[in-house]
Amino acid sequence: MKVIIQRCSSAKVTVDDDIIGQIDQGLMLLVGVTHEDEEKDADYLAEKIAGLRIFEDESGKMNHSVLDVEGAILSVSQFTLYADTRKGKRPNFMAAAKPDVAEPLYEYFNEQLRKKGLRVETGKFGAMMDVSLTNNGPVTLILESKV
């Protein structure tokens, strides 16, 4: 699994002009699933993300997690994270897991974040979505379950 994490002041996702997920302070996650991914990958990333100290303390140091600041998560499935652009001009998405594999693992990942006490809003799996956010910092990180 691969997750792009953006610390945000606010974020929202819309489908057909309807807001289906929205948060204020917290983390915007773009979540990609590949063929070999399993629940242990989702467990690892959920644990890492919930405890990741990327919010500033009183001294301006990154010492607080999303849990510490009582932030929320906006999680959006993003198969294009596994695009292969090495050949030609059109991306190849063969490394992205098929929806029947990716969707249950994506849902499992979100549930693991909820079990840690986080409020998790989501996009709509497989839908054409518009995502907007105010990236705070800006702070953007890439996490992978297999390195």
Side-chain angles (χ1 to χ4, degrees):
M1 289 181 76
K2 187 182 296 187
V3 180
I4 307 295
I5 302 168
Q6 295 180 293
R7 187 178 75 182
C8 64
S9 305
S10 63
K12 69 179 178 181
V13 60
T14 60
V15 174
D16 298 326
D17 295 323
D18 293 325
I19 297 172
I20 63 168
Q22 185 170 10
I23 64 168
D24 290 320
Q25 180 183 28
L27 300 174
M28 168 71 211
L29 307 180
L30 301 175
V31 182
V33 178
T34 191
H35 304 290
E36 307 85 38
D37 290 334
E38 302 172 310
E39 288 183 355
K40 68 180 180 178
D41 296 288
D43 293 337
Y44 167 79
L45 288 171
E47 180 69 26
K48 188 73 156 179
I49 290 165
L52 201 58
R53 298 184 322 173
I54 59 172
F55 290 88
E56 295 175 353
D57 65 12
E58 314 73 46
S59 304
K61 299 226 186 271
M62 288 188 185
N63 267 333
H64 293 307
S65 71
V66 67
L67 285 166
D68 295 333
V69 299
E70 298 179 0
I73 301 276
L74 178 58
S75 174
V76 175
S77 175
Q78 185 79 49
F79 78 94
T80 61
L81 293 180
Y82 280 102
D84 182 351
T85 58
R86 293 175 290 181
K87 291 178 72 177
K89 302 285 185 188
R90 180 179 298 157
N92 172 328
F93 299 107
M94 299 297 289
K98 301 282 187 220
D100 63 322
V101 172
E103 186 173 12
L105 194 53
Y106 166 70
E107 295 298 339
Y108 176 84
F109 168 73
N110 292 327
E111 190 54 37
Q112 297 318 296
L113 290 168
R114 288 182 184 106
K115 286 181 179 179
K116 296 187 180 317
L118 290 161
R119 181 173 69 85
V120 179
E121 298 280 320
T122 66
K124 183 176 179 185
F125 189 93
M128 179 61 87
M129 297 174 273
D130 290 323
V131 178
S132 63
L133 78 144
T134 301
N135 188 328
N136 179 261
V139 174
T140 302
L141 305 169
I142 302 170
L143 290 183
E144 293 186 68
S145 59
K146 293 177 176 68
V147 182

